[in-house]
Amino acid sequence: MPELAFEVQGRGPGLVLVHGTGSTPAGTWGPCIAELAASHTVVLPYLPGSGNSVLPDGAELDMGEIAAQIADVATEAGLENFAIAGASLGGPIAVKVAAMFPERVSHVVSVCGFARPRTGLRLRQEIYRSVLPLGADAVGRLLLLFGLTEEAAAQMPEEMLQGMIGQIGSAPTPGTRQQIALTLATDVEADLALVEAPALVIAGIHDNFVDPVHSREMAAGIKGARLLELDGGHGLMFEKSAEVSGAINELIRSAD
């Protein structure tokens, strides 16, 4: 099983941040990284096919194997115990890590995540996959459509909007297809009941990609989980970074 590439920022209690499909830690977590690194040792693994993390030869991605790889990354970064937060596809991965390594995970957070892809998410992922061969412009427009709320898009100057289309469209990583396949195959519903750590589930009430009903299902399945719904879309880590970072810090402080 190949090792995952990772980066480390900050000092303090350990916090692993897991990114989403076809992305990178910075591409998913944005300003939250610096905000959380102000008080934590933030470990940023790259999923297989992102950054310098290689894809397994001739094999589909496996959620359990990735969870074990992330636990290994935490060990390599010097963390015996750690909190873990995942966004989008990172949400169910964080749940899997917490279920597999309850003795090591102190807190778990899902942001715009899901336990299994309901029909709408499945169809959006399939559209995402079908658009990949069309190039950066088409991919950028699709991901902005899914990621931005109507209000955020309307307030964005046209020059900035076009710049984001180009930036986001060129962002999908070599492992995007395999990560989409992993998203479509995800089912951690049985793992929700195995999570022992204090849990926070954050949803964007205007999320056009992962409907907030996914987060409500996750929160209902994790004993004692807190559900926080913010006024934003799938890009909560950029739209509402202070609120997301603050809620994660609050969970860790209050549970401690």
Side-chain angles (χ1 to χ4, degrees):
M1 183 170 58
E3 296 181 353
L4 298 182
F6 68 95
E7 300 168 2
V8 179
Q9 295 188 26
R11 295 182 62 184
L15 172 60
V16 177
L17 299 181
V18 187
H19 68 77
T21 304
S23 189
T24 62
T28 292
W29 286 96
C32 290
I33 294 175
E35 293 166 3
L36 292 166
S39 54
H40 296 86
T41 297
V42 175
V43 179
L44 305 164
Y46 288 77
L47 297 179
S50 293
N52 291 324
S53 293
V54 301
L55 289 164
D57 292 334
E60 296 180 351
L61 300 182
D62 179 82
M63 183 77 71
E65 290 183 1
I66 291 173
Q69 288 175 305
I70 289 175
D72 288 343
V73 161
T75 300
E76 191 173 346
L79 304 180
E80 180 177 352
N81 299 303
F82 55 92
I84 186 165
S88 197
L89 174 60
I93 292 174
V95 166
K96 193 72 172 182
V97 175
M100 290 176 60
F101 302 97
E103 73 286 355
R104 298 190 62 189
V105 174
S106 60
H107 312 81
V108 61
V109 179
S110 169
V111 184
C112 299
F114 53 95
R116 60 175 180 85
R118 295 165 64 98
T119 302
L121 176 55
R122 176 175 56 79
L123 292 173
R124 286 172 175 81
Q125 289 288 331
E126 290 171 348
I127 292 170
Y128 182 14
R129 181 174 58 193
S130 70
V131 167
L132 288 174
L134 301 181
D137 186 72
V139 171
R141 291 177 186 278
L142 180 71
L143 293 183
L144 274 185
L145 177 65
F146 288 162
L148 282 180
T149 63
E150 184 65 28
E151 181 180 4
Q155 294 176 353
M156 190 174 295
E158 183 64 25
E159 183 177 347
M160 180 183 296
L161 185 64
Q162 294 301 321
M164 287 187 67
I165 288 171
Q167 180 182 358
I168 295 173
S170 61
T173 63
T176 297
R177 284 187 175 277
Q178 290 87 338
Q179 292 175 19
I180 291 173
L182 177 63
T183 299
L184 293 171
T186 291
D187 187 348
V188 297
E189 285 192 315
D191 296 287
L192 299 175
L194 302 178
V195 174
E196 299 178 1
L200 170 66
V201 180
I202 303 176
I205 60 174
H206 304 296
D207 193 334
N208 294 322
F209 209 155
V210 181
D211 191 279
V213 69
H214 291 86
S215 291
R216 294 168 192 149
E217 290 178 344
M218 292 183 79
I222 300 174
K223 184 178 180 180
R226 177 193 173 205
L227 174 64
L228 173 63
E229 297 189 346
L230 296 177
D231 185 13
H234 199 63
L236 279 181
M237 288 69 65
F238 293 87
E239 294 179 67
K240 303 288 182 179
S241 67
E243 289 89 336
V244 171
S245 299
I248 293 173
N249 281 324
E250 181 183 354
L251 170 76
I252 295 173
R253 285 196 303 266
S254 62
D256 287 341

